Amino acid sequence: QVHLVESGGGLVQPGGSLRLSCAASGTVFSISDMGWYRQAPGKERELVATITRGGRADYGDSVKGRFTISRDNAKNTVYLQMNSLKPEDTAVYSCNTYAWSGARRIDYWGQGTQVTVSS
C-alpha cells in the first residue's frame, strides 16, 4: 500500500504562484511515475504533469511553460511549481502514483488539494 498526502493548495490571485507537494509513504519502493491531475467543477479530470523516477517530465498542453514538476526520490516527494496562474487553473489537484502487481497496475491517489485562482 502507498499513502499520498498533498499540501500547498490555497487561494492566489491571477498571475501568482503556488507550490504543491505530495509525499508518499508505505511501500514506496514499488512506485513508478508520479504525477498531478486536476478536476474542476463540472469537468473531467485532466492530466497536469507526470514525472518518471529518472526525472523525465510530461505536461498537459494547458500548463506547458507555466508549471514545473519535480521529484525528490530520497524523500519520496513530488512537487508542482505553478507560475502565472490563471482563473481556469482553479481545480482540485490530486497526486497520483502507481505500482505493478504482476501484470496489474494499481493506482494510488491523494485526497486532493484545492487551488483557487481569483482576484
Side-chain angles (χ1 to χ4, degrees), residues 84-106:
S84 303
L85 282 161
K86 305 174 182 180
E88 50 264 44
D89 294 318
T90 296
V92 175
Y93 285 69
S94 297
C95 180
N96 167 267
T97 189
Y98 62 91
W100 293 100
S101 177
R104 185 169 68 100
R105 170 172 163 159
I106 303 171

Side-chain angles (χ1 to χ4, degrees), residues 2 30-34 96-100 105-108:
V2 176
S30 64
I31 63 176
S32 183
D33 300 354
M34 299 185 76
N96 167 267
T97 189
Y98 62 91
W100 293 100
R105 170 172 163 159
I106 303 171
D107 278 86
Y108 300 99

Side-chain angles (χ1 to χ4, degrees), residues 4-111:
L4 301 173
V5 177
E6 300 114 333
S7 61
L11 172 65
V12 64
Q13 292 186 341
S17 299
L18 278 177
R19 188 191 194 209
L20 305 183
S21 300
C22 172
S25 61
T27 52
V28 294
F29 63 88
S30 64
I31 63 176
S32 183
D33 300 354
M34 299 185 76
W36 292 93
Y37 292 74
R38 68 185 184 186
Q39 187 166 21
K43 294 187 177 182
E44 294 187 354
R45 184 168 60 199
E46 66 169 336
L47 167 72
V48 177
T50 60
I51 187 167
T52 67
R53 275 192 173 272
R56 189 184 79 243
D58 289 305
Y59 297 91
D61 288 340
S62 61
V63 306
K64 285 180 181 177
R66 299 187 298 122
F67 291 10
T68 302
I69 190 171
S70 60
R71 178 172 179 169
D72 185 334
N73 290 325
K75 295 182 179 180
N76 300 306
T77 300
V78 64
Y79 306 94
L80 184 68
Q81 178 66 43
M82 305 185 292
N83 298 329
S84 303
L85 282 161
K86 305 174 182 180
E88 50 264 44
D89 294 318
T90 296
V92 175
Y93 285 69
S94 297
C95 180
N96 167 267
T97 189
Y98 62 91
W100 293 100
S101 177
R104 185 169 68 100
R105 170 172 163 159
I106 303 171
D107 278 86
Y108 300 99
W109 294 91
Q111 79 284 0

